[in-house]
Structure formats: C-alpha cells, structure tokens
Amino acid sequence: MQDARKVKTLVDGFFIGYDRCMLGTMLYVHAGKGHYVPAKAVSDAMERAGHETYLLDMFSVLKAPFWQWFCKHEWRFMLQHPRLERMYHRWMDTHFIASLIRFFAVRLHTKRDFLLWYEQTKPDFILCTNFLGGSIIAAIAKQSNLQVPIFIYVADVFNNPKAGFHQKIDRMFIPTSLGVKNLLAQGYSSEQVRLCPFPLQTSIQAMEKLTRTQAREKLGLEDRFTLLLNLGGEGIGSASLLKQLIKNKLAWQVVVVGNLSEATKNRFQTLAKQLPRMRVHTPGFVSNIGLYMLACDIQAGKAGANALMESLSLQRPFMINELLHAARDTKSFFDAYQVGWVIRSPKKQMLTIKTFAESSVAQNQMQEHLASLPLQFDSDLFVNLLINEVKALAD
C-alpha cells in the first residue's frame, strides 16, 4: 500500500489536483452482507481503475468490538422476527436517535481511535456503506475539521435511516430516483445527494449473460419453470411458499440458496418428497449467484437490496415475502414500475406466481418493464462518479 500523500499533486505547498491514483477507504458494518457487498464492489472497481483502497469494518476502525458484535447479532435476531423488526426499527429510525449517536460518537474513545487511524492512513475520501457512517464517522470528521470527504452509499437503495442523518455529510450516493426524493424529504440538500449507478459485485458485472436454458444446463438444472428462493447471507427464511406449491400440485423446479444449515436443507428436501414431480435443489451459499438468477424465472425471499437490485440488473422479477422496515419503499417502486411483488401471504404468493407462470403475456410484459427500468448497474461508472465528486470538492 502506497502512502496516500503520494496521490496528490502539490506545487509550492498548494494543492492543484490529483494524479490518476487515489487512496479510498470503504467502511462497512458486519450486519449481514448488505453493507459489505457494495463496499467490496466499489473497492474492486477502484482497484480496476488503478486506485488503492482500504476495505474495513467500521467498528474495527473505531475499536468498538461490542458494537461490532451487537450489529451482527441484532440484525440476525430481527431477521428471525420480522414483525418485531418493523416495529423496533421504525421506533429507532428518527433524527433524535441520530443526534444521540452523534453526541456520543464525538465524546467516547471512538473519536480518539478514529483520529489515530486517520493520521496513519490519510485516505483521499471515506465511503461508508452503512447509515451509521453518517452519524458517527461524519460527526467525528466534521467536528475535528478533517480535510477528507465523507461519503455515504445508501445500501437500502430507496431510503436511508434517519438515525444516520448528518447535515454536513459531503455526498449521499443512492441508485434510485425514489431514493433521491426520500433523502431530500429527510433534510439533505440537492448539493449533497447524487443519483448513482448501482455498484454490482464483480462476479455479476463480469459474468457471461447466458439465456435461461444455457444457465440451467451449466448448473445441471432441468429446463422448466424455476423459482429461486433466496434465504440470504444469514440463511433465514420460511418454507411456507414451498408448502403451498406442494399443496396445489405445482411441481416446478425450486432452488434454495443462502447460508443454509444442514437442518434447513433437510427440511426443504423432506418437503419435496411429498410431490415427486417437483425438483428442489439446495446448493446453499454459492459464489456464482448471478448464474442462478439467470437460470430462474422468479426470485423470491426477504429481499436485501443487493439481491433485489442484482435480480433486476439481470432482468428477473423479485417477490418479497417479508417486507422489512429498511425495505419499506420497495413496494412503491414495484407499484410504479411493475417489476416485482410484495406479498406476505404464502397462499397469495403461490397464486401470483401461478398466474405469472401460466401466462406468456404476463411474462413478456414483465420483460418489457425490466428492460425499461430507469436504473444503471455498473460499479465502474459508480467509481467514475465518486472520483469526480472528490475532485469537485477539492476545487
């Protein structure tokens, strides 16, 4: 890792611009994969462009192991209790909570430890992919008058928790126009908010775009209607939809992905035996998730923003079977663009998918809607925007 100071151009002590190489820091929070994946995607794209990066857990930088542990386990607990999650996170999602976080961030040891880290690394910018970066990192940096841009990438893509609000964040990057509207309504200025491309992880951005038939053949799947049931990085989800398919003799092909335990895999396989013509595959956590998306007709699950947006980038509709507080604006997006569904009732989920599977007209309309989405999916374009914003702030 080069000294970050080498990437700046100085003449007689005056800053006049950047050489091609910059040093950026991507800070994520280990609460599922939702914040790590975009941080890694941007880091990879930065390095492809010839820049240098740090990819770090924010609470490791702050030397706050308890909060590192808390965020990880609190999120897992909430995934297991979605109704509680919606109530609890709605109650916590306020500007008042943001002010409390900012108050403690600049008065606890976290400020000292962050400043020590900053003096050792001197990055040209800091990009946080968790909303807490606003109320913690921005609070410390702005109070300390650090000459480093603090950026937030809004990982929830349609909104950002108010608990991360800070009026002096340099830039908020968000991939949807609905998200831009919601950020402006929260109190951010138009100068702070930027509509950005969605930063696809490298494995999806660089993958060969196969047809459904080709993808299924490559994965050893049958070439028939396929439902991809995504239980996410935590492997938490329900088998209720599968039970409805079995009850109604819908012998489709179902692929269950995510960080599945052996008990979860066995549960799905045991259920599938009730309908011999059904094919249930349980590969679990996979490194080629994009290929599985290409192989499916519909993806379903508790949609994290990454799974949802990656599905849309590959032109596959998504059915959300449990809407979490952070994803509350997804329904508005789906209603506007008709590229997915938010349905909690397993019976209604089954009926909706059945109607879609049996209608070529509905499938063709879906493809037209997906192809016309006003979204960009490209981590390299995201980095171009990011670098330009760093330069603009330096002028």
Side-chain angles (χ1 to χ4, degrees), residues 34 51 71 130 134-135 219 227 242 245 299 320 337 366 389:
H51 303 289
C71 286
N130 182 275
S135 46
L219 291 169
L227 172 67
L242 184 64
L245 301 184
Q299 185 175 187
I320 298 177
Y337 297 104
M366 179 63 73
E389 291 298 331

Side-chain angles (χ1 to χ4, degrees), residues 61-91:
V61 171
L62 297 171
K63 292 185 169 36
F66 169 78
W67 291 108
Q68 188 177 39
W69 173 89
F70 178 84
C71 286
K72 176 180 178 179
H73 292 280
E74 184 255 10
W75 178 241
R76 185 174 179 83
F77 177 81
M78 291 300 170
L79 285 178
Q80 293 171 324
H81 303 87
R83 292 184 181 179
L84 177 61
E85 184 275 339
R86 287 191 292 273
M87 290 188 294
Y88 174 71
H89 283 160
R90 186 182 300 114
W91 177 71

Side-chain angles (χ1 to χ4, degrees), residues 249-270:
K249 304 292 190 275
L250 297 173
W252 298 328
Q253 182 167 238
V254 179
V255 181
V256 188
V257 295
N259 195 13
L260 310 180
S261 67
E262 287 303 314
T264 300
K265 289 183 180 181
N266 291 336
R267 177 159 55 101
F268 278 96
Q269 293 293 348
T270 300

Side-chain angles (χ1 to χ4, degrees), residues 87-260:
M87 290 188 294
Y88 174 71
H89 283 160
R90 186 182 300 114
W91 177 71
M92 293 292 290
D93 188 14
T94 65
H95 286 294
F96 173 71
I97 294 297
S99 67
L100 286 180
I101 296 172
R102 293 195 301 268
F103 177 85
F104 287 110
V106 298
R107 287 167 174 81
L108 299 177
H109 70 88
T110 49
K111 176 182 178 180
R112 180 193 67 236
D113 289 317
F114 176 79
L115 293 177
L116 285 172
W117 170 84
Y118 175 77
E119 288 302 319
Q120 293 171 354
T121 57
K122 290 292 181 66
D124 293 291
F125 68 87
I126 297 172
L127 176 71
C128 304
T129 59
N130 182 275
F131 68 95
L132 289 173
S135 46
I136 296 177
I137 303 301
I140 296 171
K142 298 307 177 182
Q143 190 202 58
S144 304
N145 294 317
L146 299 185
Q147 298 305 301
V148 58
I150 305 296
F151 298 146
I152 303 295
Y153 167 70
V154 181
D156 293 322
V157 305
F158 301 119
N159 213 326
N160 196 55
K162 295 175 184 176
F165 183 83
H166 193 294
Q167 63 181 0
K168 292 186 179 179
I169 292 171
D170 292 292
R171 296 290 184 268
M172 301 284 295
F173 296 100
I174 194 162
T176 65
S177 56
L178 175 59
V180 170
K181 178 182 176 182
N182 285 331
L183 289 182
L184 294 176
Q186 274 192 31
Y188 293 103
S189 70
S190 58
E191 183 61 27
Q192 289 174 289
V193 180
R194 293 291 183 270
L195 181 66
C196 70
F198 178 81
L200 283 170
Q201 58 179 314
T202 303
S203 62
I204 291 182
Q205 180 155 323
M207 71 181 294
E208 182 183 5
K209 301 304 186 291
L210 304 177
T211 65
R212 284 184 180 84
T213 299
Q214 291 170 330
R216 290 167 184 169
E217 182 179 359
K218 196 164 186 176
L219 291 169
L221 302 175
E222 295 183 14
D223 191 15
R224 55 167 161 155
F225 189 84
T226 301
L227 172 67
L228 180 64
L229 190 56
N230 192 334
L231 304 191
E234 302 297 331
I236 296 172
S238 169
S240 298
L241 175 56
L242 184 64
K243 292 176 182 178
Q244 283 291 326
L245 301 184
I246 294 169
K247 180 180 178 180
N248 289 273
K249 304 292 190 275
L250 297 173
W252 298 328
Q253 182 167 238
V254 179
V255 181
V256 188
V257 295
N259 195 13
L260 310 180

Side-chain angles (χ1 to χ4, degrees), residues 268-310:
F268 278 96
Q269 293 293 348
T270 300
L271 284 170
K273 292 177 182 178
Q274 299 177 24
L275 186 60
R277 292 181 295 115
M278 174 178 277
R279 294 290 179 269
V280 174
H281 303 266
T282 53
F285 180 81
V286 296
S287 59
N288 57 342
I289 185 62
L291 191 58
Y292 281 91
M293 291 183 190
L294 287 177
C296 79
D297 293 277
I298 291 178
Q299 185 175 187
K302 282 181 190 171
N306 291 314
L308 168 62
M309 295 293 278
E310 288 167 357

